[in-house]
Amino acid sequence: GQSLEQPSEVTAVEGAIVQINCTYQTSGFYGLSWYQQHDGGAPTFLSYNALDGLEETGRFSSFLSRSDSYGYLLLQELQMKDSASYFCAVRPANRDDKIIFGKGTRLHILP
Amino acid sequence: DAGVTQSPTHLIKTRGQQVTLRCSPKSGHDTVSWYQQALGQGPQFIFQYYEEEERQRGNFPDRFSGHQFPNYSSELNVNALLLGDSALYLCASSLGGTGQYSNQPQHFGDGTRLSIL
């Protein structure tokens, strides 16, 4: 089957760096996306990795390694407003190419 | 530039009833996807509409149906509501012009919170 695994919760301190991992089991996919969702809000697109390597967008970076079936989202200089749930998502490269989301990682920021 | 808008924001129904949820995509987008998000879970893909046709479908029963209009807006219909249908229903829009393998990021609406009593 196809699945994405993320830690359910991560806690970090304001100003620090945190990494949220995403491992997946799918035969092939077009790329790995990350979304942020605050309580009561809509998921918002953060980043997309089509190729292996690191993509940087401001304080947020995302990494993909297809050979390791692994990716992560890196958040630097954490701010209290970063407290949210973070989802990784893939679109499998087969006939059943519907987007699959992970169950999400709840990020708690401590002052 | 209006983003994705959904209506209503909240809805309470009873078992067996039918419900229609509405979505207007972001300006310039032509593809609409619907998701169901249970509390503490990631969004689950229901189906996607492009050019007024259902292009893809997730593992949801036929009680879930939809429609896309010429102006790209969309409706999600759920018949014979069950308690388990209580969830946040999200609409996401994107550009589908590159075909079914489009990797354009999706823009989500704030969702409709559906509660079944």
Side-chain angles (χ1 to χ4, degrees):
Chain A
Q2 299 159 344
S3 65
L4 297 169
E5 298 294 328
Q6 302 178 237
S8 58
E9 291 185 88
V10 173
T11 301
V13 178
E14 190 176 16
I17 300 173
V18 71
Q19 178 174 313
I20 299 175
N21 297 325
C22 175
T23 57
Y24 55 85
Q25 293 183 4
T26 180
S27 56
F29 60 94
Y30 292 106
L32 182 69
S33 301
W34 287 93
Y35 289 81
Q36 177 193 61
Q37 186 177 29
H38 287 98
D39 285 347
T44 56
F45 174 79
L46 291 178
S47 69
Y48 174 70
N49 291 72
L51 304 174
D52 284 5
L54 192 67
E55 294 284 340
E56 297 181 79
T57 308
R59 294 188 297 114
F60 294 179
S61 302
S62 57
F63 174 82
L64 175 63
S65 170
R66 291 177 183 267
S67 59
D68 296 324
S69 299
Y70 165 73
Y72 66 72
L73 179 69
L74 190 73
L75 295 84
Q76 304 182 71
E77 301 174 13
L78 285 171
Q79 302 174 9
M80 297 303 293
K81 67 178 182 179
D82 297 329
S83 294
S85 293
Y86 293 84
F87 297 90
C88 57
V90 297
R91 180 192 294 273
N94 52 42
R95 289 176 59 84
D96 187 24
D97 64 341
K98 298 175 284 292
I99 294 177
I100 303 170
F101 279 81
K103 292 186 177 182
T105 298
R106 179 80 180 198
L107 175 61
H108 303 278
I109 310 295
L110 302 177
Chain B
D1 180 18
V4 179
T5 59
Q6 292 186 243
S7 63
T9 55
H10 295 83
L11 200 53
I12 299 175
K13 291 285 188 178
T14 57
R15 282 182 300 173
Q17 285 189 309
Q18 178 266 343
V19 68
T20 297
L21 310 181
R22 295 176 176 83
C23 171
S24 293
K26 178 181 170 65
S27 178
H29 284 182
D30 57 7
T31 302
V32 172
S33 302
W34 286 93
Y35 293 84
Q36 180 193 67
Q37 187 177 23
L39 200 60
Q41 301 292 316
Q44 297 290 313
F45 177 81
I46 302 176
F47 41 53
Q48 182 183 80
Y49 278 84
Y50 174 66
E51 293 186 339
E52 302 180 49
E53 291 189 358
E54 184 182 290
R55 186 162 72 176
Q56 293 179 334
R57 188 178 183 90
N59 297 322
F60 280 80
D62 292 344
R63 298 187 297 110
F64 289 77
S65 63
H67 189 77
Q68 186 178 36
F69 299 94
N71 66 352
Y72 307 119
S73 67
S74 177
E75 288 182 349
L76 164 66
N77 301 293
V78 187
N79 295 322
L81 286 166
L82 304 174
L83 292 178
D85 295 331
S86 294
L88 179 68
Y89 287 85
L90 294 163
C91 168
S93 74
S94 58
L95 273 174
T98 56
Q100 68 174 340
Y101 301 122
S102 168
N103 292 306
Q104 297 296 317
Q106 297 190 81
H107 295 253
F108 284 84
D110 287 336
T112 294
R113 174 73 61 186
L114 177 62
S115 299
I116 310 301
L117 303 179

